[in-house]
Amino acid sequence: MSTSNETLTGMEAPALGPTRRPARDFAVPAPLKSHGPARIIAMCNQKGGVGKTTTSINLGAALAEYGRRVLAVDFDPQGALSAGLGVDNHDATTIYDLLLNPRLDPRDAIQRTSTPGLDVIAANIDLSAAEVHLVNEVAREQILARVLRKVADDYDLILVDCQPSLGLLTVNALTAAHGVLIPLESEFFALRGVALLKETIEKVQDRLNPALQLDGILVTMYDSRTLHAREVMERVVDAFGETVLETVVRRTVKFPDASVAGVPVTQFAPDHSAAEVYRQLARELIHRGAIA
Ligand SMILES: Nc1ncnc2c1ncn2[C@@H]1O[C@H](COP(=O)(O)OP(=O)(O)O)[C@@H](O)[C@H]1O
Ligand SMILES: [Mg+2]
């Protein structure tokens, strides 16, 4: 089976990336003249370990490097985003507190990170009780939206790092969001779950948030040395076409290493391709208009 550029290496043919499109370099964005109100993007996939948290952290950090004001919201009781950004999630006010107590000011829950321009609202295991508490609330799907509305003017982008489920918390994220990004592990069975996720997105569009857009599918954990990975890529592009982002994140140990250090990879290994790929993703999303 032919995959990326092997069959198209004629003299005049442009080099193709893994998505079978020209491997473009997206322009470095101009600084913004003014800030806010934020576009909200939910990072969603009900499968765990596909790169949601890694993408939230590193896309956020790359955009902050480009002068965007970014708020990352940890919306997973595992608290991996909080840990990966090195912020306190024990004594701090968390997203759980904000969901349950509308009188709290979300600005009091915002913590700075070591990357200037990238702030975070933390989460911890308390959040696992939120669905039970919120299920009987009025407009229970809109509670996160109400929280984020209060801080939207202070940011250009709010990234919501969802937990691996399609439950009420994820529906809250999709209801609050303008766009969804789906990180997809380069793995044979990865496609199976996307149909279900797209159904959930369509239900939310239908009933709660008609303006919600699918901003892109990001292939992660890609290993170009294996035929398997190239075949998966081929199938992803066949299934989702232009929705698949041209930027593809390769598998590298720099990501877990950076998480352990509690900093984005853009800071842990600024010159490594792992940092550069998330800068490219930032540029691509700005180029596509998903981010200002
Ligand atoms: N491109 C990558 N290459 C190698 N490891 C990665 C990559 N992206 C993420 N990881 C690692 O894989 C694990 C799961 O990633 P994570 O972003 O936490 O996924 P999710 O949030 O979807 O559960 C983490 O240990 C993370 O450091
Ligand atoms: Mg995660």
Side-chain angles (χ1 to χ4, degrees):
M1 190 190 289
S2 76
T3 50
S4 53
N5 16 4
E6 286 94 347
T7 55
L8 285 160
T9 41
M11 297 298 283
E12 66 293 332
L16 297 184
T19 57
R20 287 188 266 146
R21 282 169 291 185
R24 283 190 283 172
D25 202 11
F26 300 97
V28 171
L32 292 174
K33 294 195 179 77
S34 63
H35 295 279
R39 191 156 185 279
I40 301 175
I41 294 181
M43 199 70 69
C44 277
N45 188 327
Q46 75 277 20
K47 192 167 182 291
V50 300
K52 290 182 291 295
T53 301
T54 302
T55 300
S56 302
I57 291 174
N58 295 299
L59 173 62
L63 285 162
E65 285 185 356
Y66 289 132
R68 273 59 184 169
R69 291 188 188 156
V70 183
L71 176 65
V73 178
D74 194 345
F75 214 41
D76 182 347
Q78 296 302 316
L81 179 101
S82 308
L85 285 170
V87 300
D88 170 46
N89 66 348
H90 284 281
D91 303 317
T93 304
T94 65
I95 192 68
Y96 173 77
D97 302 317
L98 299 179
L99 292 175
L100 277 259
N101 185 348
R103 281 182 304 275
L104 290 178
D105 184 343
R107 278 169 292 200
D108 295 334
I110 291 174
Q111 302 186 61
R112 309 272 173 256
T113 69
S114 56
T115 300
L118 175 60
D119 295 347
V120 56
I121 296 178
N124 61 33
I125 197 69
D126 292 346
L127 187 61
S128 60
E131 297 206 348
V132 178
H133 287 298
L134 296 183
V135 82
N136 293 318
E137 287 279 318
V138 177
R140 61 189 179 182
E141 295 92 355
Q142 273 129 18
I143 296 166
L144 180 68
R146 282 208 303 272
V147 169
L148 297 183
R149 204 173 296 147
K150 296 177 193 161
V151 293
D153 284 343
D154 301 337
Y155 293 94
D156 301 310
L157 177 71
I158 299 177
L159 280 169
V160 182
D161 181 28
C162 293
Q163 67 178 152
S165 105
L166 294 175
L168 182 55
L169 286 182
T170 296
V171 169
N172 260 269
L174 292 172
T175 303
H178 302 93
V180 197
L181 273 177
I182 306 178
L184 192 71
E185 187 188 7
S186 172
E187 198 267 331
F188 228 81
F189 298 108
L191 280 163
R192 285 187 177 175
V194 180
L196 194 61
L197 176 52
K198 285 187 88 173
E199 257 175 49
T200 303
I201 292 170
E202 280 158 20
K203 273 187 202 158
V204 171
Q205 285 168 329
D206 209 38
R207 301 173 195 174
L208 294 157
N209 184 9
L212 180 64
Q213 292 176 324
L214 177 51
D215 286 341
I217 294 175
L218 173 70
V219 175
T220 64
M221 321 250 184
Y222 182 73
D223 186 348
S224 58
R225 293 165 304 182
T226 69
L227 179 62
H228 172 80
R230 282 177 283 152
E231 284 180 2
V232 171
M233 196 73 229
E234 178 114 320
R235 287 179 48 175
V236 172
V237 173
D238 283 344
F240 301 109
E242 295 286 304
T243 312
V244 184
L245 296 166
E246 290 176 43
T247 303
V248 170
V249 183
R250 285 164 201 275
R251 192 179 281 281
T252 156
V253 76
K254 286 291 173 205
F255 292 112
D257 286 355
S259 301
V260 171
V263 292
V265 80
T266 46
Q267 203 168 316
F268 182 77
D271 300 323
H272 193 275
S273 59
E276 190 44 45
V277 79
Y278 275 103
R279 292 187 193 109
Q280 187 190 322
L281 176 64
R283 296 195 299 271
E284 179 173 8
L285 290 170
I286 290 170
H287 172 85
R288 283 183 166 231
I291 295 168

